[in-house]
Amino acid sequence: MKTESSSVVEYLEKVPLLHRLTSSSLKKIAQVLVSKRYERGDYVVGRDEEEMEGVYFVVEGQAQVLGPVGEENCSELFLKPFDYFGRGIFGNVYAVDVVAVSELTCLLLTSDHCHLLETKPMCDSDNQRSLLERILYMDPLDWNVFRGFTLPNAPALGKVFGGQFVAQGLAAASKTVEFMKLVHSLHAYFLLSGDTNIPIIYEVSRLRDGNNFATRRVDARQKGKTIFTLFASFQREQQGFDHQESNMPHMLPPETLVSRDEMLQRRMTDHLIPRYYRNKVATQYTAPLPIDIRFCEPNYSTEERKSPSRLKYWFKARGELSDDQALHRCVVAFASDLMYAFISSDPHLKKRMSAVPVSLDHSMWFHRPLRADDWLLFVMVNLTASQSRGLATGEMFNRKGERKECMVNGTVQLVVSLKQEALLKETVTGNPILDSKL
């Protein structure tokens, strides 16, 4: 008989073989597993069987693996709960006996479903996937080591985009945590500029694995140097108090607003905007972002018009994402750094001045489930600028709707809170690449 997926998923997340699979893969496996029970002395599989049924996961009891008769180096092996045996472990042709040494309960993943065990990144690298999913692709090199890439059409200004560091680092950390534990906070530090032409190695340190919480440190390296560090804390869903004081400001719906890309196209040809500014936009504008952005208010700086030290815009990922909540939080982490630092420098811009703020550190707190492929409102405020640094805070709200799951006591949910400190320096010409913030 088929097993109950809700209870089986909790078991599967503790099986070492499955730690690298996404939550959607584990849910698919849970739906097709078959429960098997054996009495003491029963053969689960035998060496005379040419093909095994699939992969077995031990739930209760113990089993013993016996090697071929006469094999000198073969030792007896006892299997206990969360151990596994079967296809891809001993090979397609079984050369051992597996015998129950007590009452034994196993979950069987039959051979026709064993393709679900294939290790997949958090986001598949298939070209049909969205650009964001391909940016978040993590190539596993070792148990705690992953490799990320900067794609040719990924956001960059001559160096690795800060949001890419945060999102890829979080994706690497998430792949080492039981999928039922989701990130609830992260703190990132940008140390050196990243080279877009070479891969980034992400090494994960497992600092803590508790029943309800897990903590990870991720160090990103290039050319033998640590260029980015992230600390992330993960929590299993728990019931508790629920309230919020922050309220989403009333804004026009995103469908009525002009997209960022269309707005930039208009600025390039709007003769009411100074020519030097139109030329600046034309030279800096690259391919459309993988995030659709709709500004709630006109916001740009010229010598006649200063931008305020606050900004509000709707955003969402282009394309539809899977239901993997870890993926959605990585996408939001990517989007969070797109314009955050600029609100600290925009109020100080003047004619023909060039300033490229650089993120120093970045913190996020995830309060509630969210969907990155549905509209989120990002409200950010620059609190202060001093000593060549600016500090900004931010809040993200889900879209106001009639769905009860999007409301807290009748109020739109605050889903993410953020803070960021950025380096603010005026430059004379060009867009310099700062090799270090130190």
CSV table of all heavy atoms in Angstrom, one decimal, residues 341-369:
chain,number,residue,atom,x,y,z
A,341,ALA,N,21.4,49.9,-2.4
A,341,ALA,CA,22.4,50.8,-2.0
A,341,ALA,C,22.3,52.2,-2.6
A,341,ALA,O,22.7,53.2,-2.0
A,341,ALA,CB,23.8,50.2,-2.4
A,342,PHE,N,21.5,52.3,-3.7
A,342,PHE,CA,21.5,53.5,-4.5
A,342,PHE,C,20.7,54.6,-3.7
A,342,PHE,O,20.9,55.8,-3.9
A,342,PHE,CB,20.9,53.3,-5.9
A,342,PHE,CG,21.9,52.7,-6.8
A,342,PHE,CD1,21.9,51.3,-6.9
A,342,PHE,CD2,22.8,53.4,-7.6
A,342,PHE,CE1,22.8,50.7,-7.8
A,342,PHE,CE2,23.6,52.8,-8.4
A,342,PHE,CZ,23.7,51.5,-8.5
A,343,ILE,N,19.8,54.2,-2.8
A,343,ILE,CA,19.0,55.2,-2.2
A,343,ILE,C,19.8,56.0,-1.2
A,343,ILE,O,19.4,57.1,-0.7
A,343,ILE,CB,17.7,54.6,-1.5
A,343,ILE,CG1,18.1,53.7,-0.4
A,343,ILE,CG2,16.8,54.0,-2.5
A,343,ILE,CD1,17.0,53.3,0.5
A,344,SER,N,21.0,55.5,-0.8
A,344,SER,CA,21.9,56.2,0.1
A,344,SER,C,22.7,57.3,-0.7
A,344,SER,O,23.0,58.3,-0.1
A,344,SER,CB,22.9,55.3,0.8
A,344,SER,OG,22.2,54.4,1.6
A,345,SER,N,23.0,57.1,-1.9
A,345,SER,CA,23.8,58.0,-2.7
A,345,SER,C,22.9,59.0,-3.5
A,345,SER,O,23.3,60.1,-3.8
A,345,SER,CB,24.7,57.3,-3.6
A,345,SER,OG,24.0,56.5,-4.6
A,346,ASP,N,21.7,58.6,-4.0
A,346,ASP,CA,20.9,59.4,-4.9
A,346,ASP,C,20.6,60.8,-4.3
A,346,ASP,O,20.6,61.8,-5.1
A,346,ASP,CB,19.6,58.7,-5.2
A,346,ASP,CG,19.8,57.6,-6.3
A,346,ASP,OD1,20.9,57.5,-6.8
A,346,ASP,OD2,18.8,56.9,-6.6
A,347,PRO,N,20.3,61.0,-3.0
A,347,PRO,CA,20.1,62.4,-2.6
A,347,PRO,C,21.3,63.3,-2.7
A,347,PRO,O,21.1,64.5,-2.6
A,347,PRO,CB,19.7,62.2,-1.1
A,347,PRO,CG,19.3,60.7,-1.0
A,347,PRO,CD,20.1,60.0,-2.0
A,348,HIS,N,22.5,62.8,-2.9
A,348,HIS,CA,23.7,63.6,-3.0
A,348,HIS,C,24.2,63.8,-4.4
A,348,HIS,O,25.3,64.5,-4.5
A,348,HIS,CB,24.7,63.0,-2.1
A,348,HIS,CG,24.3,62.7,-0.7
A,348,HIS,ND1,24.2,63.7,0.3
A,348,HIS,CD2,23.8,61.5,-0.1
A,348,HIS,CE1,23.7,63.2,1.4
A,348,HIS,NE2,23.5,61.9,1.2
A,349,LEU,N,23.6,63.2,-5.4
A,349,LEU,CA,24.1,63.3,-6.7
A,349,LEU,C,24.0,64.8,-7.2
A,349,LEU,O,23.1,65.5,-6.9
A,349,LEU,CB,23.3,62.4,-7.7
A,349,LEU,CG,23.5,60.9,-7.4
A,349,LEU,CD1,22.8,60.1,-8.5
A,349,LEU,CD2,25.0,60.5,-7.4
A,350,LYS,N,24.9,65.2,-8.1
A,350,LYS,CA,24.9,66.5,-8.7
A,350,LYS,C,25.3,66.3,-10.1
A,350,LYS,O,25.7,65.2,-10.6
A,350,LYS,CB,25.8,67.4,-7.9
A,350,LYS,CG,27.2,67.0,-7.8
A,350,LYS,CD,28.0,67.9,-6.8
A,350,LYS,CE,29.4,67.3,-6.6
A,350,LYS,NZ,30.1,68.1,-5.6
A,351,LYS,N,25.3,67.4,-10.9
A,351,LYS,CA,25.6,67.4,-12.3
A,351,LYS,C,26.9,66.8,-12.6
A,351,LYS,O,27.9,67.1,-12.0
A,351,LYS,CB,25.5,68.8,-12.9
A,351,LYS,CG,25.5,68.8,-14.4
A,351,LYS,CD,25.3,70.2,-14.9
A,351,LYS,CE,25.3,70.2,-16.5
A,351,LYS,NZ,25.1,71.5,-17.0
A,352,ARG,N,26.9,65.8,-13.5
A,352,ARG,CA,28.1,65.1,-14.0
A,352,ARG,C,28.8,64.3,-13.0
A,352,ARG,O,30.0,64.0,-13.2
A,352,ARG,CB,29.0,66.1,-14.8
A,352,ARG,CG,28.2,66.9,-15.8
A,352,ARG,CD,29.1,67.3,-17.0
A,352,ARG,NE,28.3,68.1,-17.9
A,352,ARG,CZ,27.6,67.6,-18.9
A,352,ARG,NH1,27.6,66.3,-19.1
A,352,ARG,NH2,27.0,68.4,-19.7
A,353,MET,N,28.2,64.1,-11.9
A,353,MET,CA,28.8,63.3,-10.8
A,353,MET,C,28.5,61.8,-11.0
A,353,MET,O,27.4,61.5,-11.4
A,353,MET,CB,28.3,63.7,-9.4
A,353,MET,CG,28.7,62.8,-8.3
A,353,MET,SD,27.9,63.4,-6.8
A,353,MET,CE,28.2,62.0,-5.7
A,354,SER,N,29.4,61.0,-10.8
A,354,SER,CA,29.2,59.6,-10.9
A,354,SER,C,29.5,58.9,-9.5
A,354,SER,O,30.5,59.2,-8.9
A,354,SER,CB,30.2,59.0,-12.0
A,354,SER,OG,30.0,57.5,-12.0
A,355,ALA,N,28.6,58.1,-9.1
A,355,ALA,CA,28.7,57.4,-7.8
A,355,ALA,C,28.2,56.0,-7.9
A,355,ALA,O,27.1,55.8,-8.4
A,355,ALA,CB,28.0,58.2,-6.7
A,356,VAL,N,29.0,55.1,-7.6
A,356,VAL,CA,28.6,53.7,-7.6
A,356,VAL,C,28.7,53.1,-6.2
A,356,VAL,O,29.7,52.7,-5.8
A,356,VAL,CB,29.5,52.9,-8.6
A,356,VAL,CG1,29.0,51.4,-8.6
A,356,VAL,CG2,29.5,53.5,-10.0
A,357,PRO,N,27.6,53.1,-5.5
A,357,PRO,CA,27.6,52.6,-4.1
A,357,PRO,C,27.9,51.1,-4.2
A,357,PRO,O,27.5,50.4,-5.1
A,357,PRO,CB,26.2,52.8,-3.6
A,357,PRO,CG,25.3,53.0,-4.8
A,357,PRO,CD,26.2,53.5,-5.9
A,358,VAL,N,28.6,50.6,-3.2
A,358,VAL,CA,29.0,49.2,-3.1
A,358,VAL,C,28.5,48.6,-1.8
A,358,VAL,O,28.8,49.2,-0.7
A,358,VAL,CB,30.6,49.1,-3.2
A,358,VAL,CG1,31.0,47.6,-3.1
A,358,VAL,CG2,31.1,49.7,-4.5
A,359,SER,N,27.8,47.5,-1.8
A,359,SER,CA,27.3,46.9,-0.6
A,359,SER,C,28.4,46.4,0.3
A,359,SER,O,29.4,45.8,-0.2
A,359,SER,CB,26.4,45.7,-1.0
A,359,SER,OG,25.4,46.1,-1.8
A,360,LEU,N,28.3,46.7,1.6
A,360,LEU,CA,29.3,46.2,2.5
A,360,LEU,C,28.8,45.0,3.3
A,360,LEU,O,29.4,44.0,3.4
A,360,LEU,CB,29.6,47.3,3.5
A,360,LEU,CG,30.4,48.5,3.0
A,360,LEU,CD1,30.6,49.6,4.0
A,360,LEU,CD2,31.8,48.1,2.5
A,361,ASP,N,27.6,45.2,3.9
A,361,ASP,CA,26.9,44.0,4.5
A,361,ASP,C,25.4,44.1,4.3
A,361,ASP,O,24.9,45.2,4.0
A,361,ASP,CB,27.3,44.0,6.0
A,361,ASP,CG,26.8,45.2,6.8
A,361,ASP,OD1,25.6,45.4,6.9
A,361,ASP,OD2,27.7,46.0,7.1
A,362,HIS,N,24.8,43.0,4.4
A,362,HIS,CA,23.4,42.8,4.0
A,362,HIS,C,22.7,41.8,4.9
A,362,HIS,O,23.2,40.7,5.1
A,362,HIS,CB,23.4,42.3,2.5
A,362,HIS,CG,22.1,42.3,1.9
A,362,HIS,ND1,21.6,43.4,1.2
A,362,HIS,CD2,21.1,41.4,1.8
A,362,HIS,CE1,20.4,43.2,0.7
A,362,HIS,NE2,20.1,41.9,1.0
A,363,SER,N,21.6,42.2,5.5
A,363,SER,CA,20.9,41.3,6.4
A,363,SER,C,19.4,41.2,6.0
A,363,SER,O,18.8,42.2,5.6
A,363,SER,CB,21.0,41.9,7.9
A,363,SER,OG,22.3,41.9,8.3
A,364,MET,N,18.9,40.0,6.2
A,364,MET,CA,17.5,39.8,5.8
A,364,MET,C,16.9,38.9,6.9
A,364,MET,O,17.5,38.0,7.5
A,364,MET,CB,17.4,39.1,4.5
A,364,MET,CG,18.0,39.8,3.3
A,364,MET,SD,17.8,38.9,1.7
A,364,MET,CE,16.0,39.1,1.5
A,365,TRP,N,15.6,39.2,7.2
A,365,TRP,CA,14.8,38.3,8.1
A,365,TRP,C,13.5,37.9,7.4
A,365,TRP,O,12.8,38.8,6.9
A,365,TRP,CB,14.4,39.1,9.4
A,365,TRP,CG,15.6,39.4,10.2
A,365,TRP,CD1,16.1,38.7,11.3
A,365,TRP,CD2,16.5,40.6,10.1
A,365,TRP,NE1,17.2,39.3,11.8
A,365,TRP,CE2,17.5,40.5,11.1
A,365,TRP,CE3,16.5,41.7,9.2
A,365,TRP,CZ2,18.5,41.4,11.3
A,365,TRP,CZ3,17.5,42.6,9.4
A,365,TRP,CH2,18.5,42.5,10.4
A,366,PHE,N,13.3,36.6,7.2
A,366,PHE,CA,12.1,36.1,6.6
A,366,PHE,C,11.1,35.8,7.6
A,366,PHE,O,11.3,34.9,8.4
A,366,PHE,CB,12.5,34.9,5.7
A,366,PHE,CG,13.5,35.2,4.6
A,366,PHE,CD1,14.8,35.2,4.9
A,366,PHE,CD2,13.0,35.4,3.3
A,366,PHE,CE1,15.7,35.4,3.9
A,366,PHE,CE2,13.9,35.7,2.3
A,366,PHE,CZ,15.3,35.7,2.6
A,367,HIS,N,9.9,36.5,7.5
A,367,HIS,CA,8.9,36.3,8.6
A,367,HIS,C,7.8,35.3,8.2
A,367,HIS,O,7.4,34.6,9.1
A,367,HIS,CB,8.2,37.7,8.8
A,367,HIS,CG,9.2,38.8,9.1
A,367,HIS,ND1,10.1,38.7,10.2
A,367,HIS,CD2,9.4,40.0,8.5
A,367,HIS,CE1,10.8,39.9,10.2
A,367,HIS,NE2,10.4,40.6,9.2
A,368,ARG,N,7.5,35.2,6.9
A,368,ARG,CA,6.4,34.4,6.5
A,368,ARG,C,6.6,33.8,5.1
A,368,ARG,O,7.5,34.3,4.4
A,368,ARG,CB,5.1,35.2,6.5
A,368,ARG,CG,4.7,35.7,7.9
A,368,ARG,CD,3.5,36.7,7.9
A,368,ARG,NE,3.1,37.1,9.2
A,368,ARG,CZ,3.7,38.1,9.9
A,368,ARG,NH1,4.6,38.9,9.2
A,368,ARG,NH2,3.3,38.4,11.1
A,369,PRO,N,5.9,32.7,4.8
A,369,PRO,CA,6.1,32.2,3.4
A,369,PRO,C,5.8,33.3,2.4
A,369,PRO,O,4.9,34.2,2.6
A,369,PRO,CB,5.1,31.0,3.4
A,369,PRO,CG,4.9,30.7,4.8
A,369,PRO,CD,5.0,31.9,5.6
